[in-house]
Amino acid sequence: MFHLIRDHRRAEARKRPFPTEWEFFVRANVPHYSILDDAERAELCSTIQVFLMEKQWEGCGGLELTDEIRVTIAAQACLLQLGLPHDYYRNVDSILVYPSTIMPPEHHTGVFERVDSPVDASTPILGQAFSQGPVILVWDAVLRDARHPEQGHNVVYHEFAHKLDMLDGAADGTPSFADRDQFDEWVAVCSREFLRLRHLSEKGHKTFLDNYGTKNEAEFFAVATEEFFDRPRALQEHAPDLYRVLSTYYCQDPADRVNRAGKPSS
């Protein structure tokens, strides 16, 4: 009965007209939206409606939540799932948004909580994702990253990639795959590229991804996801196999979108 009620509410939310003001926020703050085709934009808007309805949002540190904040975050989180079979991030109940860089609150592990969060809670953060807890984001970083994809950093993509990674119960840099061959190829390619990134970083060479991805496999996946959506042609050039497995997983081809849109960079 619960699932029937939930599915009915989702269907009703998806049918509602997407508010004009919300589309203005998405167009202004999420450049990727402009290079989606009409069907993709319609699906993204429908998914945003459900995402906003189902998640609990909280402004922290004196931040007053606005529609712009919620819609800008939701648009980026939902973009990751645009080509995936999904359940609207079932492992995300709440999203906490701070105005600027914070020291996170002390986190006490619950009785039933897995201690496998990929982020060190003792350091200042721009974002954080807990396996059995909220996503924490910093608004000024969210807005800066969203409006400037050419920089290759996006805290929303990063933290929600962690949540996708955690859906199978472990933050290990390998999300769920229904197909065994795809899983095997993912492991082979990502293991090789992770070790290549580490080698380049240790030698002091310029790396094709942010060297934060050398921390562990979970961070590698999150950093690679940022590059895949924000600077797809650069990733395709420097790590074509990595681009290919990410494209297969996400069922999206951002480089092709950029090419079709005639963008001069990214």
Side-chain angles (χ1 to χ4, degrees):
M1 181 63 70
F2 170 77
H3 293 302
L4 289 174
I5 295 172
R6 181 203 64 191
D7 291 347
H8 175 73
R9 292 181 72 235
R10 286 177 173 177
E12 290 299 308
R14 290 177 61 89
K15 288 190 297 186
R16 295 186 196 119
F18 197 71
T20 302
E21 185 181 31
W22 290 10
E23 183 167 11
F24 172 81
F25 294 143
V26 178
R27 286 190 179 277
N29 296 338
V30 186
H32 206 109
Y33 182 77
S34 67
I35 62 173
L36 299 177
D37 63 30
D38 291 343
E40 290 169 332
R41 278 195 289 269
E43 176 59 26
L44 181 62
C45 289
S46 296
T47 305
I48 290 170
Q49 303 249 60
V50 176
F51 186 89
L52 290 174
M53 176 186 71
E54 292 192 342
K55 308 309 176 187
Q56 179 179 340
W57 297 78
E58 182 177 349
C60 305
L63 179 69
E64 181 181 351
L65 278 179
T66 64
D67 281 352
E68 181 180 15
I69 292 171
R70 294 166 64 246
V71 170
T72 300
I73 292 170
Q76 294 172 90
C78 293
L79 177 63
L80 268 61
Q81 290 196 328
L82 187 59
L84 295 173
H86 63 83
D87 193 18
Y88 301 93
Y89 290 104
R90 66 178 184 273
N91 60 344
V92 177
D93 291 323
S94 58
I95 300 162
L96 280 57
V97 189
Y98 287 81
S100 58
T101 305
I102 58 166
M103 286 295 296
E106 183 178 358
H107 179 68
H108 299 284
T109 304
V111 175
F112 299 106
E113 183 172 353
R114 294 175 60 91
V115 186
D116 56 5
S117 172
V119 181
D120 182 359
S122 66
T123 58
I125 63 167
L126 301 179
Q128 191 167 26
F130 292 100
S131 59
Q132 300 294 329
V135 172
I136 300 174
L137 296 166
V138 168
W139 172 237
D140 61 1
V142 167
L143 188 59
R144 179 185 65 245
D145 294 349
R147 288 180 171 177
H148 296 283
E150 72 280 358
Q151 296 178 1
H153 298 290
N154 187 295
V155 65
V156 178
Y157 296 161
H158 189 104
E159 301 309 331
F160 279 88
H162 281 318
K163 295 302 274 191
L164 291 175
D165 186 11
M166 293 169 181
L167 280 171
D168 61 1
D172 57 5
T174 303
S176 299
F177 286 91
D179 185 279
R180 180 69 194 192
D181 290 339
Q182 289 181 5
F183 170 82
D184 290 343
E185 184 177 30
W186 175 276
V187 170
V189 170
C190 290
S191 296
R192 183 177 70 245
E193 295 295 347
F194 173 63
L195 293 175
R196 177 161 77 102
L197 185 67
R198 272 196 167 174
H199 175 75
L200 290 171
S201 180
E202 289 168 356
K203 296 294 185 181
H205 298 312
K206 183 177 179 180
T207 57
F208 62 99
L209 293 177
D210 189 318
N211 62 16
Y212 188 67
T214 66
K215 184 176 180 181
N216 55 47
E217 289 85 350
E219 297 299 348
F220 178 81
F221 171 50
V223 166
T225 293
E226 294 178 74
E227 191 80 0
F228 176 72
F229 284 98
D230 271 354
R231 298 192 298 195
R233 294 197 297 200
L235 182 62
Q236 194 175 48
E237 176 184 353
H238 293 291
D241 289 343
L242 179 59
Y243 182 89
R244 178 171 46 79
V245 296
L246 284 163
S247 182
T248 299
Y249 168 67
Y250 281 112
C251 299
Q252 299 188 59
D253 190 350
D256 182 62
R257 288 181 185 138
V258 172
N259 290 334
R260 286 188 284 109
K263 298 291 183 179
S265 60
S266 299

